[in-house]
Amino acid sequence: MSDSMQTVIFGGNTAIGKAIAEALAPRGGAVFSLGRSNGVDVSNAATVENWFLANGEVDNVIFTAGSQAPGGKVSELDIDAAKTAFEIKFWGSVKVAQIAAKYIRTGGTLTLTSGFLARKTVPGTFVKTTMNAALEAGVKILARELAPVRVNIVSPGLTDTEAYSGMGESDRNQMFANAAKALPVGRVASPQDVAQGYLFAIDCPSITGAVIDIDGGALIS
């Protein structure tokens, strides 16, 4: 990354987004970590547009903002909660793509985030599965429509982030230990592991329309 390159991360203040920002920092250039804490809400297009109007063109846009998707059987699904989850992660990604397309420099990148449940059949995960699957299908269309901007999506598996901070420490550690035993790599990913996928999407000039799996082998186990 050159000293003049600019990267903006939506959802950059926590978890994977924060790890990406930390990984980019030694490369030089400017990294903008955005979220509700600094007035940018991806479910509110005006706040996204206002940020770009104030800051102008960038080289890389990364979307890691997540949502709390309701679980459980479809027959018992809280539709309002499901709509809220889609509004933040799916439609938030679409809104950012629409707006950022006007501000990403030629040769720049847009990298979104899905999740391994897009292609892993796990009962009780209907909202996460359909939301992430929709993003993975849509990224290929975006890659064609926004070219020469390169558009990709990173699909993490279970990752040790503060998203699980609401669990008791013992229960959380046991969950990660059980998951690690079931994964071919024998470990649960850290945010720093997953961040490498976004750096790859930025660095490799021949990748676009791709789903980059960083799931420890969950999809083959």
Side-chain angles (χ1 to χ4, degrees):
M1 179 181 289
S2 71
D3 289 343
S4 62
M5 188 167 287
Q6 295 183 312
T7 300
V8 55
I9 306 170
F10 290 89
N13 295 315
T14 58
I16 293 169
K18 184 177 180 180
I20 299 167
E22 292 171 347
L24 287 172
R27 296 180 169 208
V31 179
F32 303 95
S33 296
L34 305 182
R36 289 179 177 174
S37 62
N38 44 21
V40 179
D41 181 351
V42 297
S43 66
N44 184 338
T47 66
V48 176
E49 182 82 65
N50 288 340
W51 187 90
F52 280 106
L53 287 171
N55 291 275
E57 292 186 333
V58 299
D59 299 283
N60 308 296
V61 173
I62 296 171
F63 188 102
T64 65
S67 59
Q68 294 296 319
K73 294 181 179 180
V74 175
S75 60
E76 302 168 356
L77 184 63
D78 183 334
I79 297 296
D80 288 336
K83 288 180 178 179
T84 298
F86 264 83
E87 184 64 29
I88 295 170
K89 186 168 184 180
F90 178 77
W91 289 115
S93 295
V94 174
K95 291 171 188 176
V96 167
Q98 277 186 321
I99 295 166
K102 299 178 288 185
Y103 296 94
I104 300 175
R105 296 186 181 101
T106 300
T109 67
L110 169 64
T111 310
L112 305 178
T113 304
S114 59
F116 80 113
L117 289 173
R119 284 162 287 133
K120 183 78 170 179
T121 302
V122 178
T125 65
F126 180 81
V127 177
K128 284 187 177 180
T129 292
T130 54
M131 184 165 57
N132 288 322
L135 284 168
E136 291 187 3
V139 79
K140 298 183 183 299
I141 303 298
L142 286 172
R144 292 291 300 272
E145 292 186 354
L146 301 186
V149 170
R150 294 185 295 105
V151 186
N152 297 288
I153 192 163
V154 174
S155 179
L158 181 64
T159 306
D160 187 354
T161 72
E162 58 262 55
Y164 303 99
S165 60
M167 297 176 65
E169 183 177 1
S170 177
D171 290 341
R172 184 173 66 250
N173 291 340
Q174 188 61 54
M175 178 185 71
F176 288 140
N178 291 341
K181 290 178 183 177
L183 292 171
V185 299
R187 64 191 297 274
V188 170
S190 69
Q192 291 72 29
D193 296 335
V194 179
Q196 295 303 309
Y198 299 85
L199 270 58
F200 174 63
I202 289 173
D203 291 342
C204 182
S206 292
I207 184 170
T208 194
V211 179
I212 302 169
D213 290 315
I214 306 180
D215 63 5
L219 289 174
I220 60 171
S221 61

